[in-house]
Every structure is written in C-alpha cells, then in structure tokens.
Amino acid sequence: MQNVIKVQKDLYYLGGNDRRLALFESAIPIPRGVSYNSYLLCDERTVLFDTVNLSVSELFFENLEEALGGRKLDFLVVHHMEPDHSASFLRLIEKYPDVVIVTNSKVQQMLENFFPFSGENVHLVKEGDTMSVGRRTLTFITAPMVHWPEVMMTYIPEEGILFSADAFGTFGALSGSLFADEVRFEREFLDDARKYYFNIVGKYGAQVQNVLKKAANLDLRLVCPLHGPVWREQFGWYLKKYDLWSKYEPEEKGVAVFYASVYGHTQNAAEILAAALAQSGVFVKVYDVSAAHVSDLLAEAFRYSHAVFASTTYNNGIFITMENLLRDLKEHNFQNRKYALIENGSWSPQAGAHMQAEIAGMKNMIQIGDRVTILSSVKEESRDALIALANEIAEDIQS
Ligand code: FEO
C-alpha cells in the first residue's frame, strides 16, 4: 500500500526504507538501515526526481501512481546513476514510456552502460541551464564526484528547494518523520551522517568544497537529499559540519586511540595511555581495530584532533586490521592531524616503522613525542614512556 508523504504544497516524498541490508555498497555495515529518497513535484508539469533501489521499488511505484493521481508523468530528472537510486529506471520508463529524461551527458552515457537503453526521450542539460515546469523553474547544478562524476543537483529558486543528490544524506532509516528538525538529528543521526560522509564522499573534499561554494549563493529553504531526512530548518548547522569535514578539519578536540592487540599486551599499553590522558582532562576514546568495523573507525578518526595508533608486530609488519585501517584512512585522504605511535614486538618490533611509512603518505600529519616500543608486555620503563607520551599529547591539546 502506498505511503506518500507530503513535503510541502505540490511536493511529495515517494521513497522507502531498508532495515535489512547488512552492508551498504557491500562494504559498510548499516545497523540502523537506510532510506532511498525520491520526490515528485506536481506543477503544471509533473517532475520525478530520481528513482530508488530495487529493495523499495514496489512501494515506490505504488507511491508514484498515488501521488500522480491520474496525471501523466512528464519528466524524470536523474541526478546520480549509482544503482541505489537508478535501479528502478528501466521499469519506470516501461511503465511511463512518454516520460522525458532530464539529465546530463555523463548520466546518459551511464544509462546506456547500465541498461538496454538507447537514449530516446532524453533532454540534456548542463551547468546553469534552466527549465520552466509551470510556476517553478528547475536550475541544474553540476556536482562532479559528490559522489560520482555524473552527479548533478536541481535548484528551484522560487521556493529555495535544492535536490542535493547524495550530498547532505545520511545512513539511518526514517521512522515516520521526514524532516531533520523532527528526528533529533544531532543525537539520533549525526554519527550516521559522519560515517556516511567520510565513507562515501570523504575522499572528495575539494569537490565538496566546490559544491559548498555554489550552495553559498543559494537561498536554501528546503534541502532534499537522496538518503535520510529533509532539511527545512537550521540547515546552516549541517552546512558547517560539511564545511569542516570537507576541509579535513577535526570536529572535536580529543584523542582517538586505535589498538591492534593479539594477546592483550598492546591493549594494555593503549589503556594505560588513555587513562593518563583522561586524568589530564583530555577527552579520549579507545578502539580495538580488530573488533570495530573499519568504516566506523574511519569516521571516528576524522572526528577528533589527535590519533594514537598502537600495533603489535605481525609478519614483520603491521597487524592486519591496523594496516587495513591505515590504508583506508590514506585512501580517504586522512590529513591535518596530530598523531602518536606505539609498537609491540617480542623479538623484532617493526610495526612502528611500517605505520610511520603509511602515515608519511598522508598530508600534514604531525607526530607528537617519540614512538613507544613495548617488548612483549608493558614494564615499568615502558609504562613511564607511555605516561610521558600521554603528557605530551595532553600538553599539545590543551595549548
Ligand atoms: Fe546513494 Fe552514490 O549513491
């Protein structure tokens, strides 16, 4: 049965939630689910903004039929070709064969790559093009690499509406309420939003900054992303998060301590350091990189100003899960942070040098203190070295 939600006059939400998908993009656990958003504007012409993933397409087609109320579907605007938004395209054009697809040439090429589609009924647009659909005008804004190269957005100046594609989206299914101001966003969604941002578009900070510059010139009264709640109030607060995140600036002063430990001794070193930091009044969080998923660790690393990496030596290198974290951080352009290193080894401690080499490939990373080396287990001397390192980190954070 349809579950159309009215966004405002003439604008309807047609999306749905998936709370069963274990891994988004086959890689990222989403225990709170995800929504796939699609919107229908009913002006003198009817305009559908994107389709949905196959998991919610039955509901989507019922919603579309209900929201159209017997009217013809005139336009489908395709902003982004990732299949979580485009998978229902073929069925849509089979059901509505006269619909005109409004999009850019990169999307058109991808439509032909993904589907048996030969480009009929396509109206190509480019940056700044406009199209009247009655009382409202669609203005098209390109947003390459946020999150694929073909991405574009649509702005409706008469009502300050931005259809923002993946930008400003978040993981987390919707629970009846559609609007960010109804869902206690900071408490209920910010962690998911940060995880979504850094895992999905975190690599493309420069491109996100380009989009933010374009957004700065717009009167934004309603922002409709492809995942998560719709923004109609306090969007400036969320824009500031995007600005910080895309400049790779830390969101909070604090230390994220990441450890990889096989028998608990490296964990012991990490916990001694963390306790000393906390006793100095520093906010600190400790993560076992073999227990937490790397997508969560990535978001937490970007969140804080300081990071400590503690790894046992394994196969003459870094322990597997720590190596995976450091490589993922590098892939996502982790930068502009202070860091410290702890290594452990029973006969030839080498994890530290290898971690150093991984971090050398990241921009503007400043090491605090000397690397602390543990030989199998923490002794009085290495405990003193950990306390001394904690004091140096605390001094740096509090300066
Ligand atoms: Fe939600 Fe890049 O797709």
Side-chain angles (χ1 to χ4, degrees), residues 81 106-118:
M81 275 305 297
K106 287 194 181 110
V107 169
Q108 182 183 25
Q109 183 59 58
M110 288 189 184
L111 283 169
E112 292 172 19
N113 293 348
F114 271 105
F115 303 108
F117 173 71
S118 50

Side-chain angles (χ1 to χ4, degrees), residues 24-25 34-36 80-86 146-148 150-151 165-167 169 171 196 200-201 226-227:
F24 189 80
E25 292 184 349
V34 66
S35 73
Y36 302 107
H80 181 21
M81 275 305 297
E82 194 166 10
D84 54 333
H85 311 294
S86 68
V146 186
H147 134 240
W148 279 13
E150 84 294 2
V151 171
D166 272 345
F171 297 133
Y196 171 90
I200 303 297
V201 288
L226 286 174
H227 302 284

